[in-house]
Amino acid sequence: MELVEETNPKEGKKMGGRIVVDKAYLYEEDKPLTVCKTSLFYTGDGFAAYDCHGDIIFRVDSYGPDTRDNDEIVLMDATGKCLLTVKRKRPTLHQRWEGFLGERSDGQKPIFSVRRSSIIGRCTMEIDVFDGTGEEYIIDGDFSQRSCLIYDTEKRTVAEIKRKVDASTNVMLGRDVFTLEIKPGFDGAFAMGLVVVLDQINGDDPVEIGDEQVHPFVED
């Protein structure tokens, strides 16, 4: 994993940017994305992540209702380029998932792993990055309620998952639409990959969001 130095214009000091997946998704300021749980082709569980201009940044396509049985999911950019593959490791008691750069091939080594810290009840998620630095992260919170913090070993928040509020009506949207806020210097593609893993580990049930279908919108 490459380490780059970026300057935070607000603080006037350098901060480390750790590339796990792609340096194109390192940002100098907080980067809020609107994440929609949807499918572009078939009924099922997919994701699309949009920036504040309504431009798609990431997508995860679902190819039918039995996607959860496949144990392997691909994160793509807006053009359909494969950025990351996450795969469930079996057998495991802690629901361990591993991430691979690009489209996974046989024999390829993972770049990170995510696992539950306990097999009983709600617990934190532990993330290990395999780059020789011993980099670790923790996910704390309840993804089913879209309320999670991702932080490093020094307790610095690097990303946050939270409920989405419609700016025009000040109404909180259903759990199918939420915000992923990426902090400066943290790999956004890595963060979105963790969202995909959390969704699978939590076995998120369908939720009611009313009769109106929610679409991504452009923020001021």
Side-chain angles (χ1 to χ4, degrees), residues 198-214:
L198 283 171
D199 181 62
Q200 294 295 312
I201 288 178
N202 280 269
D204 199 20
D205 295 326
V207 296
E208 296 290 338
I209 60 172
D211 296 330
E212 183 177 358
Q213 186 175 2
V214 179

Side-chain angles (χ1 to χ4, degrees), residues 18 73 120 129 204 206 208:
R18 292 211 172 266
I73 302 169
I120 302 174
V129 179
D204 199 20
E208 296 290 338

Side-chain angles (χ1 to χ4, degrees), residues 33-209:
L33 299 179
T34 297
V35 183
C36 302
K37 192 171 185 182
T38 182
S39 177
L40 301 180
F41 301 108
Y42 296 92
T43 302
D45 292 331
F47 283 106
Y50 300 82
D51 65 13
C52 62
H53 304 293
D55 296 326
I56 189 168
I57 305 299
F58 303 113
R59 55 188 253 204
V60 177
D61 295 340
S62 173
Y63 295 93
D66 298 324
T67 301
R68 289 192 186 279
D69 297 330
N70 294 337
D71 286 347
E72 188 167 308
I73 302 169
V74 172
L75 174 69
M76 296 177 286
D77 67 8
T79 67
K81 175 187 174 183
C82 178
L83 300 172
L84 178 71
T85 301
V86 294
K87 179 177 175 61
R88 183 169 183 173
K89 184 176 177 63
R90 294 182 181 274
T92 175
L93 294 176
H94 291 266
Q95 291 182 285
R96 182 187 295 273
W97 284 72
E98 295 179 329
F100 301 83
L101 274 181
E103 188 172 356
R104 189 187 70 86
S105 59
D106 290 340
Q108 182 178 352
K109 293 183 178 180
I111 57 173
F112 69 86
S113 73
V114 184
R115 69 181 183 92
R116 293 169 57 96
S117 60
S118 172
I119 62 174
I120 302 174
R122 291 201 179 276
C123 59
T124 59
M125 303 290 175
E126 299 177 349
I127 307 163
D128 295 310
V129 179
F130 306 133
D131 68 335
T133 65
E135 192 79 11
E136 297 178 351
Y137 297 94
I138 298 291
I139 305 175
D140 194 10
D142 186 352
F143 180 76
S144 68
Q145 297 301 317
R146 307 302 187 249
S147 178
C148 292
L149 289 177
I150 305 173
Y151 53 87
D152 62 18
T153 53
E154 297 183 17
K155 301 294 184 180
R156 295 176 299 190
T157 300
V158 296
E160 182 177 2
I161 298 165
K162 55 189 176 181
R163 297 290 294 271
K164 179 78 176 180
V165 176
D166 187 329
S168 63
T169 62
N170 203 32
V171 172
M172 184 176 291
L173 302 179
R175 287 176 292 168
D176 279 355
V177 182
F178 57 95
T179 295
L180 170 63
E181 185 166 303
I182 303 159
K183 300 300 182 181
F186 192 64
D187 189 331
F190 181 33
M192 189 62 201
L194 296 177
V195 169
V196 175
V197 171
L198 283 171
D199 181 62
Q200 294 295 312
I201 288 178
N202 280 269
D204 199 20
D205 295 326
V207 296
E208 296 290 338
I209 60 172

